[in-house]
Amino acid sequence: MNDQLESLGSSVAGLPLSVWPTGQRSPLEQLRDAGCVPGTEIDDERIPPAVAAHAIAVYSQPGDLVLDPDCGAGTVLAAALSAGRDALGLTGRTRWWSLARANVTAAKTAGAWRDGSVLDARPKVLATARAAGLIGRVGLVLTALRTEAGSANGPDRDLVESALAGVAATMFYGESLLRSGGHFVIVARPRRRPDGTLADLATPLIAAAATAGLAPVERCVALTAGLRGSRLVTRASLAARRASARARAAGLPTALPTHHEVLVFGLAHDVELAAAAASGGPRPTRLAVNGPVHAGRRRAA
């Protein structure tokens, strides 16, 4: 796992680091225990239920609205509802919309009483969210970095770069939706470039966050491997094992994935205020962020 952890990058070296023991159960056991409907497992880029539940418990409050702007099969929505939060998901793919709706329904049938909705829409709809009254209402944005092949327009399109650009746009759209004290959390499994090297995901995500008016507050390693004393028990899927075997056969040694990388952001103004309070310095009166000023930043200033 060491080479995977190096993908966190030097740009986040000064952030608090935490390790989440979220791989104690297998992926299918997690889906079963979370009450997810059959078919959810086909969403290979889903946020595991244990990771979603941990993030929701730590970075939101009961009664908060949890938003997943690219919700896939809806594991985040199900976890949010089960934890007593409202949930709103967006997806532009009919297959995921049906599964996410089914998982919301399953959570409610199991006793969740908060409001849960899934919209057939892509994250860019957040740019028009003012009309929906979501400005300043979201307690937690929790989403995955998705590199689904269907998002590429051609064989030469870099799926990792495309996914990073999509999340950057989502952060820009979604910053103004966060309430004061809210968090924007991105979960990303390690990705490798065609030459076998690990992609640096943290650096471009932190840069995009700064442009959007967000500041990093924590980096986390969400384990997908089980802990057995001091040993990790890999729970990689059959597809991941086959991909690793093909890479090794081609002379590109790779390790099976054992964790997801998690980056936690807050409103930049909130982070500045917290830093000023901790240092005893003067309270900042305006938000200094590079890039154009938009409604969310004017709100925070």
PDB file of all heavy atoms in Angstrom, residues 98-133:
ATOM      1  N   SER A  98     -32.480   4.566 -11.678  1.00  0.00           N
ATOM      2  CA  SER A  98     -33.408   3.516 -11.225  1.00  0.00           C
ATOM      3  C   SER A  98     -32.903   2.849  -9.955  1.00  0.00           C
ATOM      4  O   SER A  98     -33.668   2.610  -9.010  1.00  0.00           O
ATOM      5  CB  SER A  98     -33.602   2.474 -12.335  1.00  0.00           C
ATOM      6  OG  SER A  98     -34.145   3.064 -13.494  1.00  0.00           O
ATOM      7  N   LEU A  99     -31.602   2.538  -9.910  1.00  0.00           N
ATOM      8  CA  LEU A  99     -31.051   1.883  -8.727  1.00  0.00           C
ATOM      9  C   LEU A  99     -31.026   2.824  -7.532  1.00  0.00           C
ATOM     10  O   LEU A  99     -31.331   2.409  -6.399  1.00  0.00           O
ATOM     11  CB  LEU A  99     -29.635   1.377  -9.025  1.00  0.00           C
ATOM     12  CG  LEU A  99     -29.542   0.070  -9.811  1.00  0.00           C
ATOM     13  CD1 LEU A  99     -28.116  -0.180 -10.271  1.00  0.00           C
ATOM     14  CD2 LEU A  99     -30.038  -1.098  -8.965  1.00  0.00           C
ATOM     15  N   ALA A 100     -30.660   4.083  -7.757  1.00  0.00           N
ATOM     16  CA  ALA A 100     -30.632   5.040  -6.651  1.00  0.00           C
ATOM     17  C   ALA A 100     -32.026   5.238  -6.076  1.00  0.00           C
ATOM     18  O   ALA A 100     -32.199   5.303  -4.850  1.00  0.00           O
ATOM     19  CB  ALA A 100     -30.040   6.372  -7.121  1.00  0.00           C
ATOM     20  N   ARG A 101     -33.016   5.346  -6.942  1.00  0.00           N
ATOM     21  CA  ARG A 101     -34.403   5.475  -6.473  1.00  0.00           C
ATOM     22  C   ARG A 101     -34.795   4.241  -5.655  1.00  0.00           C
ATOM     23  O   ARG A 101     -35.438   4.359  -4.609  1.00  0.00           O
ATOM     24  CB  ARG A 101     -35.334   5.627  -7.666  1.00  0.00           C
ATOM     25  CG  ARG A 101     -35.288   6.987  -8.334  1.00  0.00           C
ATOM     26  CD  ARG A 101     -36.047   8.030  -7.564  1.00  0.00           C
ATOM     27  NE  ARG A 101     -37.464   7.706  -7.427  1.00  0.00           N
ATOM     28  CZ  ARG A 101     -38.303   8.385  -6.670  1.00  0.00           C
ATOM     29  NH1 ARG A 101     -37.870   9.412  -5.959  1.00  0.00           N
ATOM     30  NH2 ARG A 101     -39.579   8.043  -6.598  1.00  0.00           N
ATOM     31  N   ALA A 102     -34.413   3.074  -6.131  1.00  0.00           N
ATOM     32  CA  ALA A 102     -34.751   1.843  -5.408  1.00  0.00           C
ATOM     33  C   ALA A 102     -34.071   1.802  -4.049  1.00  0.00           C
ATOM     34  O   ALA A 102     -34.671   1.344  -3.055  1.00  0.00           O
ATOM     35  CB  ALA A 102     -34.352   0.628  -6.243  1.00  0.00           C
ATOM     36  N   ASN A 103     -32.837   2.291  -3.963  1.00  0.00           N
ATOM     37  CA  ASN A 103     -32.145   2.295  -2.672  1.00  0.00           C
ATOM     38  C   ASN A 103     -32.744   3.313  -1.707  1.00  0.00           C
ATOM     39  O   ASN A 103     -32.800   3.075  -0.496  1.00  0.00           O
ATOM     40  CB  ASN A 103     -30.651   2.557  -2.883  1.00  0.00           C
ATOM     41  CG  ASN A 103     -29.897   1.298  -3.248  1.00  0.00           C
ATOM     42  OD1 ASN A 103     -30.118   0.236  -2.673  1.00  0.00           O
ATOM     43  ND2 ASN A 103     -29.003   1.396  -4.232  1.00  0.00           N
ATOM     44  N   VAL A 104     -33.204   4.444  -2.223  1.00  0.00           N
ATOM     45  CA  VAL A 104     -33.902   5.413  -1.380  1.00  0.00           C
ATOM     46  C   VAL A 104     -35.195   4.793  -0.842  1.00  0.00           C
ATOM     47  O   VAL A 104     -35.516   4.899   0.353  1.00  0.00           O
ATOM     48  CB  VAL A 104     -34.202   6.702  -2.165  1.00  0.00           C
ATOM     49  CG1 VAL A 104     -35.211   7.573  -1.417  1.00  0.00           C
ATOM     50  CG2 VAL A 104     -32.912   7.489  -2.392  1.00  0.00           C
ATOM     51  N   THR A 105     -35.929   4.126  -1.716  1.00  0.00           N
ATOM     52  CA  THR A 105     -37.169   3.479  -1.302  1.00  0.00           C
ATOM     53  C   THR A 105     -36.904   2.397  -0.267  1.00  0.00           C
ATOM     54  O   THR A 105     -37.634   2.259   0.728  1.00  0.00           O
ATOM     55  CB  THR A 105     -37.887   2.867  -2.521  1.00  0.00           C
ATOM     56  OG1 THR A 105     -38.199   3.914  -3.451  1.00  0.00           O
ATOM     57  CG2 THR A 105     -39.162   2.148  -2.107  1.00  0.00           C
ATOM     58  N   ALA A 106     -35.824   1.606  -0.471  1.00  0.00           N
ATOM     59  CA  ALA A 106     -35.486   0.548   0.477  1.00  0.00           C
ATOM     60  C   ALA A 106     -35.147   1.122   1.846  1.00  0.00           C
ATOM     61  O   ALA A 106     -35.542   0.567   2.890  1.00  0.00           O
ATOM     62  CB  ALA A 106     -34.316  -0.268  -0.062  1.00  0.00           C
ATOM     63  N   ALA A 107     -34.406   2.242   1.871  1.00  0.00           N
ATOM     64  CA  ALA A 107     -34.059   2.869   3.149  1.00  0.00           C
ATOM     65  C   ALA A 107     -35.302   3.350   3.878  1.00  0.00           C
ATOM     66  O   ALA A 107     -35.425   3.209   5.103  1.00  0.00           O
ATOM     67  CB  ALA A 107     -33.087   4.024   2.916  1.00  0.00           C
ATOM     68  N   LYS A 108     -36.245   3.907   3.140  1.00  0.00           N
ATOM     69  CA  LYS A 108     -37.482   4.384   3.769  1.00  0.00           C
ATOM     70  C   LYS A 108     -38.331   3.221   4.254  1.00  0.00           C
ATOM     71  O   LYS A 108     -38.951   3.279   5.327  1.00  0.00           O
ATOM     72  CB  LYS A 108     -38.252   5.260   2.789  1.00  0.00           C
ATOM     73  CG  LYS A 108     -37.561   6.591   2.512  1.00  0.00           C
ATOM     74  CD  LYS A 108     -38.452   7.517   1.699  1.00  0.00           C
ATOM     75  CE  LYS A 108     -37.834   8.893   1.569  1.00  0.00           C
ATOM     76  NZ  LYS A 108     -38.705   9.843   0.859  1.00  0.00           N
ATOM     77  N   THR A 109     -38.374   2.153   3.477  1.00  0.00           N
ATOM     78  CA  THR A 109     -39.120   0.968   3.892  1.00  0.00           C
ATOM     79  C   THR A 109     -38.544   0.379   5.172  1.00  0.00           C
ATOM     80  O   THR A 109     -39.265  -0.153   6.013  1.00  0.00           O
ATOM     81  CB  THR A 109     -39.096  -0.088   2.770  1.00  0.00           C
ATOM     82  OG1 THR A 109     -39.676   0.471   1.580  1.00  0.00           O
ATOM     83  CG2 THR A 109     -39.864  -1.336   3.164  1.00  0.00           C
ATOM     84  N   ALA A 110     -37.225   0.514   5.333  1.00  0.00           N
ATOM     85  CA  ALA A 110     -36.555  -0.010   6.527  1.00  0.00           C
ATOM     86  C   ALA A 110     -36.717   0.901   7.739  1.00  0.00           C
ATOM     87  O   ALA A 110     -36.236   0.577   8.824  1.00  0.00           O
ATOM     88  CB  ALA A 110     -35.080  -0.232   6.242  1.00  0.00           C
ATOM     89  N   GLY A 111     -37.377   2.051   7.561  1.00  0.00           N
ATOM     90  CA  GLY A 111     -37.655   2.917   8.699  1.00  0.00           C
ATOM     91  C   GLY A 111     -37.083   4.311   8.639  1.00  0.00           C
ATOM     92  O   GLY A 111     -37.334   5.116   9.545  1.00  0.00           O
ATOM     93  N   ALA A 112     -36.281   4.631   7.609  1.00  0.00           N
ATOM     94  CA  ALA A 112     -35.752   5.993   7.490  1.00  0.00           C
ATOM     95  C   ALA A 112     -36.896   6.953   7.220  1.00  0.00           C
ATOM     96  O   ALA A 112     -37.724   6.706   6.339  1.00  0.00           O
ATOM     97  CB  ALA A 112     -34.717   6.068   6.368  1.00  0.00           C
ATOM     98  N   TRP A 113     -36.956   8.057   7.950  1.00  0.00           N
ATOM     99  CA  TRP A 113     -38.109   8.959   7.837  1.00  0.00           C
ATOM    100  C   TRP A 113     -37.752  10.306   7.233  1.00  0.00           C
ATOM    101  O   TRP A 113     -38.635  11.131   6.974  1.00  0.00           O
ATOM    102  CB  TRP A 113     -38.734   9.175   9.218  1.00  0.00           C
ATOM    103  CG  TRP A 113     -37.782   9.733  10.232  1.00  0.00           C
ATOM    104  CD1 TRP A 113     -36.920   9.038  11.006  1.00  0.00           C
ATOM    105  CD2 TRP A 113     -37.595  11.112  10.576  1.00  0.00           C
ATOM    106  NE1 TRP A 113     -36.185   9.879  11.810  1.00  0.00           N
ATOM    107  CE2 TRP A 113     -36.597  11.167  11.576  1.00  0.00           C
ATOM    108  CE3 TRP A 113     -38.189  12.308  10.146  1.00  0.00           C
ATOM    109  CZ2 TRP A 113     -36.161  12.365  12.141  1.00  0.00           C
ATOM    110  CZ3 TRP A 113     -37.748  13.496  10.714  1.00  0.00           C
ATOM    111  CH2 TRP A 113     -36.761  13.516  11.693  1.00  0.00           C
ATOM    112  N   ARG A 114     -36.477  10.560   6.978  1.00  0.00           N
ATOM    113  CA  ARG A 114     -36.097  11.821   6.376  1.00  0.00           C
ATOM    114  C   ARG A 114     -36.430  11.820   4.888  1.00  0.00           C
ATOM    115  O   ARG A 114     -36.772  10.800   4.308  1.00  0.00           O
ATOM    116  CB  ARG A 114     -34.600  12.090   6.571  1.00  0.00           C
ATOM    117  CG  ARG A 114     -34.120  12.066   8.001  1.00  0.00           C
ATOM    118  CD  ARG A 114     -34.699  13.153   8.869  1.00  0.00           C
ATOM    119  NE  ARG A 114     -34.502  14.506   8.332  1.00  0.00           N
ATOM    120  CZ  ARG A 114     -34.716  15.615   9.033  1.00  0.00           C
ATOM    121  NH1 ARG A 114     -35.153  15.543  10.281  1.00  0.00           N
ATOM    122  NH2 ARG A 114     -34.524  16.796   8.496  1.00  0.00           N
ATOM    123  N   ASP A 115     -36.279  12.979   4.247  1.00  0.00           N
ATOM    124  CA  ASP A 115     -36.632  13.131   2.837  1.00  0.00           C
ATOM    125  C   ASP A 115     -35.476  12.693   1.948  1.00  0.00           C
ATOM    126  O   ASP A 115     -34.325  13.085   2.171  1.00  0.00           O
ATOM    127  CB  ASP A 115     -36.994  14.591   2.536  1.00  0.00           C
ATOM    128  CG  ASP A 115     -37.431  14.784   1.101  1.00  0.00           C
ATOM    129  OD1 ASP A 115     -38.264  13.991   0.638  1.00  0.00           O
ATOM    130  OD2 ASP A 115     -36.935  15.712   0.443  1.00  0.00           O
ATOM    131  N   GLY A 116     -35.769  11.887   0.934  1.00  0.00           N
ATOM    132  CA  GLY A 116     -34.751  11.452  -0.011  1.00  0.00           C
ATOM    133  C   GLY A 116     -35.244  11.592  -1.436  1.00  0.00           C
ATOM    134  O   GLY A 116     -36.377  11.203  -1.741  1.00  0.00           O
ATOM    135  N   SER A 117     -34.419  12.163  -2.297  1.00  0.00           N
ATOM    136  CA  SER A 117     -34.813  12.388  -3.685  1.00  0.00           C
ATOM    137  C   SER A 117     -33.645  12.094  -4.611  1.00  0.00           C
ATOM    138  O   SER A 117     -32.476  12.262  -4.238  1.00  0.00           O
ATOM    139  CB  SER A 117     -35.264  13.837  -3.906  1.00  0.00           C
ATOM    140  OG  SER A 117     -36.337  14.178  -3.051  1.00  0.00           O
ATOM    141  N   VAL A 118     -33.981  11.679  -5.835  1.00  0.00           N
ATOM    142  CA  VAL A 118     -32.987  11.461  -6.882  1.00  0.00           C
ATOM    143  C   VAL A 118     -33.461  12.192  -8.124  1.00  0.00           C
ATOM    144  O   VAL A 118     -34.595  11.983  -8.578  1.00  0.00           O
ATOM    145  CB  VAL A 118     -32.790   9.967  -7.204  1.00  0.00           C
ATOM    146  CG1 VAL A 118     -31.648   9.790  -8.199  1.00  0.00           C
ATOM    147  CG2 VAL A 118     -32.526   9.166  -5.945  1.00  0.00           C
ATOM    148  N   LEU A 119     -32.624  13.056  -8.667  1.00  0.00           N
ATOM    149  CA  LEU A 119     -32.969  13.804  -9.868  1.00  0.00           C
ATOM    150  C   LEU A 119     -32.215  13.250 -11.066  1.00  0.00           C
ATOM    151  O   LEU A 119     -31.027  12.922 -10.969  1.00  0.00           O
ATOM    152  CB  LEU A 119     -32.626  15.286  -9.707  1.00  0.00           C
ATOM    153  CG  LEU A 119     -33.294  16.032  -8.549  1.00  0.00           C
ATOM    154  CD1 LEU A 119     -32.871  17.500  -8.580  1.00  0.00           C
ATOM    155  CD2 LEU A 119     -34.810  15.905  -8.605  1.00  0.00           C
ATOM    156  N   ASP A 120     -32.906  13.137 -12.183  1.00  0.00           N
ATOM    157  CA  ASP A 120     -32.283  12.720 -13.430  1.00  0.00           C
ATOM    158  C   ASP A 120     -31.608  13.947 -14.034  1.00  0.00           C
ATOM    159  O   ASP A 120     -32.169  14.643 -14.879  1.00  0.00           O
ATOM    160  CB  ASP A 120     -33.341  12.155 -14.377  1.00  0.00           C
ATOM    161  CG  ASP A 120     -32.743  11.647 -15.682  1.00  0.00           C
ATOM    162  OD1 ASP A 120     -31.507  11.596 -15.780  1.00  0.00           O
ATOM    163  OD2 ASP A 120     -33.519  11.316 -16.599  1.00  0.00           O
ATOM    164  N   ALA A 121     -30.420  14.256 -13.552  1.00  0.00           N
ATOM    165  CA  ALA A 121     -29.729  15.480 -13.955  1.00  0.00           C
ATOM    166  C   ALA A 121     -28.242  15.327 -13.694  1.00  0.00           C
ATOM    167  O   ALA A 121     -27.827  14.600 -12.793  1.00  0.00           O
ATOM    168  CB  ALA A 121     -30.265  16.680 -13.171  1.00  0.00           C
ATOM    169  N   ARG A 122     -27.446  16.015 -14.473  1.00  0.00           N
ATOM    170  CA  ARG A 122     -26.000  16.002 -14.281  1.00  0.00           C
ATOM    171  C   ARG A 122     -25.609  17.105 -13.291  1.00  0.00           C
ATOM    172  O   ARG A 122     -26.379  18.031 -13.049  1.00  0.00           O
ATOM    173  CB  ARG A 122     -25.296  16.187 -15.621  1.00  0.00           C
ATOM    174  CG  ARG A 122     -25.592  15.037 -16.576  1.00  0.00           C
ATOM    175  CD  ARG A 122     -24.731  15.083 -17.819  1.00  0.00           C
ATOM    176  NE  ARG A 122     -25.100  13.993 -18.725  1.00  0.00           N
ATOM    177  CZ  ARG A 122     -24.677  12.744 -18.610  1.00  0.00           C
ATOM    178  NH1 ARG A 122     -23.845  12.432 -17.617  1.00  0.00           N
ATOM    179  NH2 ARG A 122     -25.048  11.813 -19.453  1.00  0.00           N
ATOM    180  N   PRO A 123     -24.392  17.001 -12.708  1.00  0.00           N
ATOM    181  CA  PRO A 123     -23.996  17.976 -11.684  1.00  0.00           C
ATOM    182  C   PRO A 123     -24.094  19.430 -12.109  1.00  0.00           C
ATOM    183  O   PRO A 123     -24.267  20.308 -11.268  1.00  0.00           O
ATOM    184  CB  PRO A 123     -22.543  17.577 -11.383  1.00  0.00           C
ATOM    185  CG  PRO A 123     -22.490  16.114 -11.679  1.00  0.00           C
ATOM    186  CD  PRO A 123     -23.396  15.926 -12.864  1.00  0.00           C
ATOM    187  N   LYS A 124     -24.004  19.713 -13.412  1.00  0.00           N
ATOM    188  CA  LYS A 124     -24.055  21.114 -13.847  1.00  0.00           C
ATOM    189  C   LYS A 124     -25.380  21.775 -13.504  1.00  0.00           C
ATOM    190  O   LYS A 124     -25.476  23.006 -13.512  1.00  0.00           O
ATOM    191  CB  LYS A 124     -23.787  21.229 -15.345  1.00  0.00           C
ATOM    192  CG  LYS A 124     -24.836  20.579 -16.233  1.00  0.00           C
ATOM    193  CD  LYS A 124     -24.439  20.704 -17.705  1.00  0.00           C
ATOM    194  CE  LYS A 124     -25.481  20.069 -18.625  1.00  0.00           C
ATOM    195  NZ  LYS A 124     -25.094  20.164 -20.055  1.00  0.00           N
ATOM    196  N   VAL A 125     -26.414  20.966 -13.179  1.00  0.00           N
ATOM    197  CA  VAL A 125     -27.688  21.562 -12.781  1.00  0.00           C
ATOM    198  C   VAL A 125     -27.540  22.356 -11.487  1.00  0.00           C
ATOM    199  O   VAL A 125     -28.363  23.216 -11.176  1.00  0.00           O
ATOM    200  CB  VAL A 125     -28.769  20.474 -12.630  1.00  0.00           C
ATOM    201  CG1 VAL A 125     -28.613  19.706 -11.321  1.00  0.00           C
ATOM    202  CG2 VAL A 125     -30.181  21.076 -12.698  1.00  0.00           C
ATOM    203  N   LEU A 126     -26.466  22.093 -10.730  1.00  0.00           N
ATOM    204  CA  LEU A 126     -26.240  22.837  -9.492  1.00  0.00           C
ATOM    205  C   LEU A 126     -26.018  24.313  -9.767  1.00  0.00           C
ATOM    206  O   LEU A 126     -26.192  25.148  -8.885  1.00  0.00           O
ATOM    207  CB  LEU A 126     -25.033  22.266  -8.740  1.00  0.00           C
ATOM    208  CG  LEU A 126     -25.147  20.813  -8.267  1.00  0.00           C
ATOM    209  CD1 LEU A 126     -23.868  20.382  -7.582  1.00  0.00           C
ATOM    210  CD2 LEU A 126     -26.343  20.627  -7.352  1.00  0.00           C
ATOM    211  N   ALA A 127     -25.629  24.648 -10.998  1.00  0.00           N
ATOM    212  CA  ALA A 127     -25.440  26.053 -11.344  1.00  0.00           C
ATOM    213  C   ALA A 127     -26.751  26.818 -11.321  1.00  0.00           C
ATOM    214  O   ALA A 127     -26.770  28.039 -11.216  1.00  0.00           O
ATOM    215  CB  ALA A 127     -24.789  26.178 -12.721  1.00  0.00           C
ATOM    216  N   THR A 128     -27.877  26.110 -11.397  1.00  0.00           N
ATOM    217  CA  THR A 128     -29.185  26.753 -11.364  1.00  0.00           C
ATOM    218  C   THR A 128     -29.920  26.450 -10.062  1.00  0.00           C
ATOM    219  O   THR A 128     -31.120  26.642  -9.962  1.00  0.00           O
ATOM    220  CB  THR A 128     -30.045  26.288 -12.551  1.00  0.00           C
ATOM    221  OG1 THR A 128     -30.270  24.868 -12.433  1.00  0.00           O
ATOM    222  CG2 THR A 128     -29.356  26.566 -13.866  1.00  0.00           C
ATOM    223  N   ALA A 129     -29.173  25.980  -9.054  1.00  0.00           N
ATOM    224  CA  ALA A 129     -29.807  25.543  -7.809  1.00  0.00           C
ATOM    225  C   ALA A 129     -30.430  26.689  -7.024  1.00  0.00           C
ATOM    226  O   ALA A 129     -31.254  26.454  -6.144  1.00  0.00           O
ATOM    227  CB  ALA A 129     -28.812  24.804  -6.928  1.00  0.00           C
ATOM    228  N   ARG A 130     -30.055  27.958  -7.315  1.00  0.00           N
ATOM    229  CA  ARG A 130     -30.645  29.075  -6.589  1.00  0.00           C
ATOM    230  C   ARG A 130     -32.167  29.031  -6.679  1.00  0.00           C
ATOM    231  O   ARG A 130     -32.874  29.285  -5.699  1.00  0.00           O
ATOM    232  CB  ARG A 130     -30.125  30.405  -7.138  1.00  0.00           C
ATOM    233  CG  ARG A 130     -30.675  31.617  -6.392  1.00  0.00           C
ATOM    234  CD  ARG A 130     -30.175  32.909  -7.022  1.00  0.00           C
ATOM    235  NE  ARG A 130     -28.726  33.036  -6.915  1.00  0.00           N
ATOM    236  CZ  ARG A 130     -28.123  33.511  -5.832  1.00  0.00           C
ATOM    237  NH1 ARG A 130     -28.830  33.876  -4.773  1.00  0.00           N
ATOM    238  NH2 ARG A 130     -26.820  33.630  -5.795  1.00  0.00           N
ATOM    239  N   ALA A 131     -32.680  28.655  -7.842  1.00  0.00           N
ATOM    240  CA  ALA A 131     -34.132  28.584  -8.025  1.00  0.00           C
ATOM    241  C   ALA A 131     -34.751  27.497  -7.157  1.00  0.00           C
ATOM    242  O   ALA A 131     -35.922  27.564  -6.803  1.00  0.00           O
ATOM    243  CB  ALA A 131     -34.473  28.341  -9.498  1.00  0.00           C
ATOM    244  N   ALA A 132     -33.964  26.486  -6.815  1.00  0.00           N
ATOM    245  CA  ALA A 132     -34.478  25.396  -5.984  1.00  0.00           C
ATOM    246  C   ALA A 132     -34.334  25.677  -4.496  1.00  0.00           C
ATOM    247  O   ALA A 132     -34.723  24.871  -3.660  1.00  0.00           O
ATOM    248  CB  ALA A 132     -33.757  24.097  -6.340  1.00  0.00           C
ATOM    249  N   GLY A 133     -33.775  26.811  -4.145  1.00  0.00           N
ATOM    250  CA  GLY A 133     -33.660  27.183  -2.738  1.00  0.00           C
ATOM    251  C   GLY A 133     -32.623  26.409  -1.957  1.00  0.00           C
ATOM    252  O   GLY A 133     -32.762  26.246  -0.743  1.00  0.00           O
TER     253      GLY A 133
END
